[in-house]
Amino acid sequence: KQWYQRRVAITPGSKSNSPITSDKEENVLQVLELYKQKVKYLTGNIDFLKDEHHKILKSLHEEIERMKYENKELKFKLIISDGNPPAWMQEKGWHDKKEKSTDCDSALIPLL
């Protein structure tokens, strides 16, 4: 119990007068300081990664919203063109080769 009380009373930078525990305590304090520095460094790395992750997710969500809007616009253009795909879609082979339906409900494409 005396050893514990004496050890707790020692602060970083102070040295004990006892030759038996002095080196051990000094080594423990040095190791403790190294671990504190490592924790601080790793905490900074984690914070950096959190910020980068947030930025990437935000930009991905913005890209998704932009693509949804673009998709909505293209679907609208397709509906307005009476089901006939624009020339650029025909050139790329993106049009549906099925027969055209005269039913209005089947011609509508659900918008996002």
Side-chain angles (χ1 to χ4, degrees), residues 31-49:
V31 169
L32 181 62
E33 187 62 32
L34 289 174
Y35 280 129
K36 286 180 182 179
Q37 291 173 1
K38 191 168 189 173
V39 166
K40 185 177 178 181
Y41 173 76
L42 293 175
T43 302
N45 286 349
I46 290 171
D47 291 341
F48 171 77
L49 290 174

mmCIF file of all heavy atoms in Angstrom, residues 31-49:
data_model
loop_
_atom_site.group_PDB
_atom_site.id
_atom_site.type_symbol
_atom_site.label_atom_id
_atom_site.label_comp_id
_atom_site.label_asym_id
_atom_site.label_seq_id
_atom_site.Cartn_x
_atom_site.Cartn_y
_atom_site.Cartn_z
ATOM 1 N N VAL A 31 7.004 5.653 -21.047
ATOM 2 C CA VAL A 31 6.103 4.839 -21.865
ATOM 3 C C VAL A 31 4.712 5.449 -21.875
ATOM 4 O O VAL A 31 4.052 5.518 -22.921
ATOM 5 C CB VAL A 31 6.066 3.377 -21.354
ATOM 6 C CG1 VAL A 31 4.961 2.587 -22.010
ATOM 7 C CG2 VAL A 31 7.415 2.703 -21.580
ATOM 8 N N LEU A 32 4.270 5.919 -20.711
ATOM 9 C CA LEU A 32 2.961 6.559 -20.625
ATOM 10 C C LEU A 32 2.900 7.792 -21.523
ATOM 11 O O LEU A 32 1.920 8.011 -22.238
ATOM 12 C CB LEU A 32 2.662 6.942 -19.171
ATOM 13 C CG LEU A 32 1.323 7.600 -18.902
ATOM 14 C CD1 LEU A 32 0.183 6.657 -19.265
ATOM 15 C CD2 LEU A 32 1.219 8.003 -17.446
ATOM 16 N N GLU A 33 3.948 8.590 -21.519
ATOM 17 C CA GLU A 33 3.990 9.784 -22.370
ATOM 18 C C GLU A 33 3.974 9.395 -23.855
ATOM 19 O O GLU A 33 3.296 10.032 -24.668
ATOM 20 C CB GLU A 33 5.231 10.612 -22.043
ATOM 21 C CG GLU A 33 5.283 11.944 -22.758
ATOM 22 C CD GLU A 33 4.128 12.869 -22.406
ATOM 23 O OE1 GLU A 33 3.630 12.822 -21.272
ATOM 24 O OE2 GLU A 33 3.711 13.627 -23.300
ATOM 25 N N LEU A 34 4.692 8.343 -24.214
ATOM 26 C CA LEU A 34 4.676 7.875 -25.608
ATOM 27 C C LEU A 34 3.281 7.433 -26.016
ATOM 28 O O LEU A 34 2.818 7.725 -27.127
ATOM 29 C CB LEU A 34 5.678 6.728 -25.798
ATOM 30 C CG LEU A 34 7.153 7.110 -25.755
ATOM 31 C CD1 LEU A 34 8.033 5.862 -25.797
ATOM 32 C CD2 LEU A 34 7.491 8.027 -26.927
ATOM 33 N N TYR A 35 2.595 6.722 -25.113
ATOM 34 C CA TYR A 35 1.235 6.277 -25.424
ATOM 35 C C TYR A 35 0.287 7.472 -25.551
ATOM 36 O O TYR A 35 -0.594 7.485 -26.407
ATOM 37 C CB TYR A 35 0.725 5.293 -24.383
ATOM 38 C CG TYR A 35 1.238 3.883 -24.585
ATOM 39 C CD1 TYR A 35 1.822 3.175 -23.545
ATOM 40 C CD2 TYR A 35 1.138 3.255 -25.819
ATOM 41 C CE1 TYR A 35 2.297 1.882 -23.733
ATOM 42 C CE2 TYR A 35 1.597 1.978 -26.024
ATOM 43 C CZ TYR A 35 2.186 1.294 -24.972
ATOM 44 O OH TYR A 35 2.649 0.032 -25.177
ATOM 45 N N LYS A 36 0.457 8.469 -24.713
ATOM 46 C CA LYS A 36 -0.383 9.667 -24.823
ATOM 47 C C LYS A 36 -0.180 10.341 -26.177
ATOM 48 O O LYS A 36 -1.136 10.777 -26.820
ATOM 49 C CB LYS A 36 -0.066 10.651 -23.697
ATOM 50 C CG LYS A 36 -0.597 10.248 -22.352
ATOM 51 C CD LYS A 36 -0.230 11.300 -21.308
ATOM 52 C CE LYS A 36 -0.707 10.918 -19.927
ATOM 53 N NZ LYS A 36 -0.329 11.918 -18.913
ATOM 54 N N GLN A 37 1.079 10.440 -26.605
ATOM 55 C CA GLN A 37 1.378 11.048 -27.906
ATOM 56 C C GLN A 37 0.775 10.221 -29.042
ATOM 57 O O GLN A 37 0.237 10.765 -30.000
ATOM 58 C CB GLN A 37 2.878 11.182 -28.097
ATOM 59 C CG GLN A 37 3.528 12.199 -27.209
ATOM 60 C CD GLN A 37 5.043 12.197 -27.308
ATOM 61 O OE1 GLN A 37 5.629 11.429 -28.070
ATOM 62 N NE2 GLN A 37 5.691 13.055 -26.523
ATOM 63 N N LYS A 38 0.868 8.911 -28.907
ATOM 64 C CA LYS A 38 0.318 8.031 -29.946
ATOM 65 C C LYS A 38 -1.205 8.149 -30.013
ATOM 66 O O LYS A 38 -1.791 8.207 -31.099
ATOM 67 C CB LYS A 38 0.728 6.581 -29.679
ATOM 68 C CG LYS A 38 0.430 5.653 -30.822
ATOM 69 C CD LYS A 38 1.100 4.318 -30.630
ATOM 70 C CE LYS A 38 0.966 3.492 -31.890
ATOM 71 N NZ LYS A 38 1.728 2.266 -31.835
ATOM 72 N N VAL A 39 -1.857 8.217 -28.857
ATOM 73 C CA VAL A 39 -3.316 8.371 -28.823
ATOM 74 C C VAL A 39 -3.709 9.694 -29.468
ATOM 75 O O VAL A 39 -4.664 9.760 -30.257
ATOM 76 C CB VAL A 39 -3.842 8.275 -27.372
ATOM 77 C CG1 VAL A 39 -5.278 8.758 -27.270
ATOM 78 C CG2 VAL A 39 -3.734 6.844 -26.864
ATOM 79 N N LYS A 40 -2.967 10.765 -29.162
ATOM 80 C CA LYS A 40 -3.253 12.074 -29.755
ATOM 81 C C LYS A 40 -3.087 12.026 -31.275
ATOM 82 O O LYS A 40 -3.932 12.529 -32.022
ATOM 83 C CB LYS A 40 -2.321 13.122 -29.149
ATOM 84 C CG LYS A 40 -2.598 14.526 -29.595
ATOM 85 C CD LYS A 40 -1.676 15.517 -28.903
ATOM 86 C CE LYS A 40 -1.931 16.924 -29.399
ATOM 87 N NZ LYS A 40 -1.030 17.889 -28.757
ATOM 88 N N TYR A 41 -2.026 11.391 -31.738
ATOM 89 C CA TYR A 41 -1.774 11.262 -33.176
ATOM 90 C C TYR A 41 -2.885 10.458 -33.861
ATOM 91 O O TYR A 41 -3.415 10.865 -34.893
ATOM 92 C CB TYR A 41 -0.410 10.596 -33.385
ATOM 93 C CG TYR A 41 -0.103 10.243 -34.818
ATOM 94 C CD1 TYR A 41 0.276 11.219 -35.725
ATOM 95 C CD2 TYR A 41 -0.179 8.923 -35.259
ATOM 96 C CE1 TYR A 41 0.561 10.905 -37.035
ATOM 97 C CE2 TYR A 41 0.103 8.596 -36.568
ATOM 98 C CZ TYR A 41 0.481 9.586 -37.455
ATOM 99 O OH TYR A 41 0.756 9.253 -38.745
ATOM 100 N N LEU A 42 -3.245 9.332 -33.260
ATOM 101 C CA LEU A 42 -4.277 8.479 -33.857
ATOM 102 C C LEU A 42 -5.649 9.145 -33.813
ATOM 103 O O LEU A 42 -6.439 8.996 -34.749
ATOM 104 C CB LEU A 42 -4.308 7.121 -33.153
ATOM 105 C CG LEU A 42 -3.064 6.247 -33.364
ATOM 106 C CD1 LEU A 42 -3.141 4.987 -32.523
ATOM 107 C CD2 LEU A 42 -2.869 5.910 -34.824
ATOM 108 N N THR A 43 -5.919 9.889 -32.759
ATOM 109 C CA THR A 43 -7.183 10.620 -32.679
ATOM 110 C C THR A 43 -7.257 11.655 -33.801
ATOM 111 O O THR A 43 -8.306 11.826 -34.432
ATOM 112 C CB THR A 43 -7.315 11.305 -31.311
ATOM 113 O OG1 THR A 43 -7.237 10.308 -30.282
ATOM 114 C CG2 THR A 43 -8.642 12.025 -31.175
ATOM 115 N N GLY A 44 -6.141 12.322 -34.067
ATOM 116 C CA GLY A 44 -6.103 13.270 -35.187
ATOM 117 C C GLY A 44 -6.343 12.575 -36.515
ATOM 118 O O GLY A 44 -7.051 13.099 -37.376
ATOM 119 N N ASN A 45 -5.767 11.391 -36.686
ATOM 120 C CA ASN A 45 -5.988 10.630 -37.921
ATOM 121 C C ASN A 45 -7.455 10.237 -38.077
ATOM 122 O O ASN A 45 -8.015 10.312 -39.169
ATOM 123 C CB ASN A 45 -5.121 9.371 -37.938
ATOM 124 C CG ASN A 45 -3.665 9.666 -38.206
ATOM 125 O OD1 ASN A 45 -3.302 10.772 -38.585
ATOM 126 N ND2 ASN A 45 -2.820 8.676 -37.986
ATOM 127 N N ILE A 46 -8.065 9.813 -36.996
ATOM 128 C CA ILE A 46 -9.483 9.423 -37.035
ATOM 129 C C ILE A 46 -10.344 10.624 -37.391
ATOM 130 O O ILE A 46 -11.267 10.514 -38.210
ATOM 131 C CB ILE A 46 -9.912 8.788 -35.701
ATOM 132 C CG1 ILE A 46 -9.250 7.416 -35.549
ATOM 133 C CG2 ILE A 46 -11.429 8.663 -35.611
ATOM 134 C CD1 ILE A 46 -9.422 6.787 -34.184
ATOM 135 N N ASP A 47 -10.052 11.777 -36.792
ATOM 136 C CA ASP A 47 -10.812 12.987 -37.110
ATOM 137 C C ASP A 47 -10.671 13.352 -38.589
ATOM 138 O O ASP A 47 -11.651 13.720 -39.242
ATOM 139 C CB ASP A 47 -10.366 14.152 -36.233
ATOM 140 C CG ASP A 47 -10.758 13.972 -34.771
ATOM 141 O OD1 ASP A 47 -11.661 13.161 -34.485
ATOM 142 O OD2 ASP A 47 -10.142 14.643 -33.914
ATOM 143 N N PHE A 48 -9.457 13.243 -39.111
ATOM 144 C CA PHE A 48 -9.227 13.524 -40.531
ATOM 145 C C PHE A 48 -10.043 12.579 -41.409
ATOM 146 O O PHE A 48 -10.699 12.994 -42.361
ATOM 147 C CB PHE A 48 -7.739 13.400 -40.861
ATOM 148 C CG PHE A 48 -7.444 13.461 -42.324
ATOM 149 C CD1 PHE A 48 -7.454 14.672 -42.996
ATOM 150 C CD2 PHE A 48 -7.169 12.304 -43.048
ATOM 151 C CE1 PHE A 48 -7.179 14.734 -44.358
ATOM 152 C CE2 PHE A 48 -6.902 12.355 -44.402
ATOM 153 C CZ PHE A 48 -6.906 13.582 -45.061
ATOM 154 N N LEU A 49 -10.016 11.291 -41.071
ATOM 155 C CA LEU A 49 -10.762 10.305 -41.867
ATOM 156 C C LEU A 49 -12.266 10.541 -41.779
ATOM 157 O O LEU A 49 -12.981 10.372 -42.769
ATOM 158 C CB LEU A 49 -10.416 8.887 -41.415
ATOM 159 C CG LEU A 49 -9.002 8.420 -41.767
ATOM 160 C CD1 LEU A 49 -8.730 7.053 -41.132
ATOM 161 C CD2 LEU A 49 -8.805 8.366 -43.265
#
